[in-house]
Amino acid sequence: MSVADLAADVWSRIPRLGATRLVAIDGPGGAGKSTYAARLAEACAAQIVHTDDFASWDNPIHWWPRLEEQVLRPIAANQAARYQRYDWNRRTFAEWQTVAPGGVLILEGVSSARAAVRDRLSFVVWIETPRHIRLLRGLARDGSESEELWQRWMSDEDAHFATDRTREHADAVVFGAGES
């Protein structure tokens, strides 16, 4: 399915988060989620919220309550959302971001389609990429000294996805191995 076809499918879906069609682009780290989210956002005229703005090396999965409070609840009430982005390099919170309700909102990142939000998602995309390619991408981005962090991160992801069974709930599976 092309990005344009997927965008048309997204727009045909019923909004399930207030007046907003919430789309999750999920999959493990280094799969190509951010790249695909940017393409889909352009095709849908959508805003993107990155789960990396909430997660950290020390908290790869359990940051969800802050996303619920700062983004999902206001959007569900058709109000603008405000959240503070986490800066991975400085390991602290950075600038505030604003998200408007309505239209399409893409929630991109690891665990974005978790069971806790599934009933509010209009569409789920799973990005499938072999583990060795994902690790190479991560090390290219974060440096070879981050390999231990990446190995731990990937183990945490594996445990989450095995329990959550996220891929089984995807509306579309996109193969990200061809992207650099």
Side-chain angles (χ1 to χ4, degrees), residues 60-99:
I61 302 292
H62 302 292
W63 45 264
W64 190 263
R66 191 165 72 86
L67 177 82
E68 284 280 354
E69 181 162 328
Q70 293 181 347
V71 177
L72 300 179
R73 284 187 190 135
I75 296 294
N78 295 318
Q79 298 173 350
R82 278 190 82 228
Y83 69 93
Q84 197 169 14
R85 183 185 68 80
Y86 182 78
D87 184 320
W88 286 62
N89 294 326
R90 292 183 15 226
R91 293 184 175 228
T92 188
F93 291 108
E95 73 280 354
W96 287 86
Q97 304 289 319
T98 302
V99 182

Side-chain angles (χ1 to χ4, degrees), residues 12-171:
S12 74
R13 302 294 177 104
I14 296 169
R16 298 176 77 188
L17 187 67
T20 303
R21 290 164 184 83
L22 182 62
V23 175
I25 299 182
D26 206 333
K33 297 176 301 300
S34 297
T35 301
Y36 194 82
R39 291 178 183 156
L40 184 59
E42 185 175 337
C44 287
Q47 301 172 91
I48 301 174
V49 171
H50 302 278
T51 63
D52 277 354
D53 289 349
F54 296 85
S56 67
W57 285 120
D58 299 326
N59 188 6
I61 302 292
H62 302 292
W63 45 264
W64 190 263
R66 191 165 72 86
L67 177 82
E68 284 280 354
E69 181 162 328
Q70 293 181 347
V71 177
L72 300 179
R73 284 187 190 135
I75 296 294
N78 295 318
Q79 298 173 350
R82 278 190 82 228
Y83 69 93
Q84 197 169 14
R85 183 185 68 80
Y86 182 78
D87 184 320
W88 286 62
N89 294 326
R90 292 183 15 226
R91 293 184 175 228
T92 188
F93 291 108
E95 73 280 354
W96 287 86
Q97 304 289 319
T98 302
V99 182
V104 174
L105 174 60
I106 295 173
L107 182 58
E108 175 276 324
V110 175
S111 80
S112 61
R114 63 177 64 196
V117 73
R118 223 167 263 148
D119 63 338
R120 294 169 281 168
L121 292 170
S122 294
F123 202 90
V124 175
V125 178
W126 175 266
I127 307 293
E128 184 79 31
T129 304
R131 187 180 193 89
H132 71 280
I133 293 174
R134 295 186 294 105
L135 180 59
L136 288 173
R137 289 175 180 172
L139 296 178
R141 181 186 69 200
D142 299 329
S144 60
E145 66 279 359
S146 67
E147 183 167 4
E148 185 178 323
L149 292 169
W150 264 92
Q151 293 293 351
R152 190 179 78 222
W153 179 275
M154 293 172 96
S155 292
D156 289 343
E157 289 176 333
D158 291 344
H160 168 75
F161 291 132
T163 301
D164 194 75
R165 301 169 63 143
T166 314
R167 188 183 192 281
E168 295 174 27
H169 297 278
D171 297 296

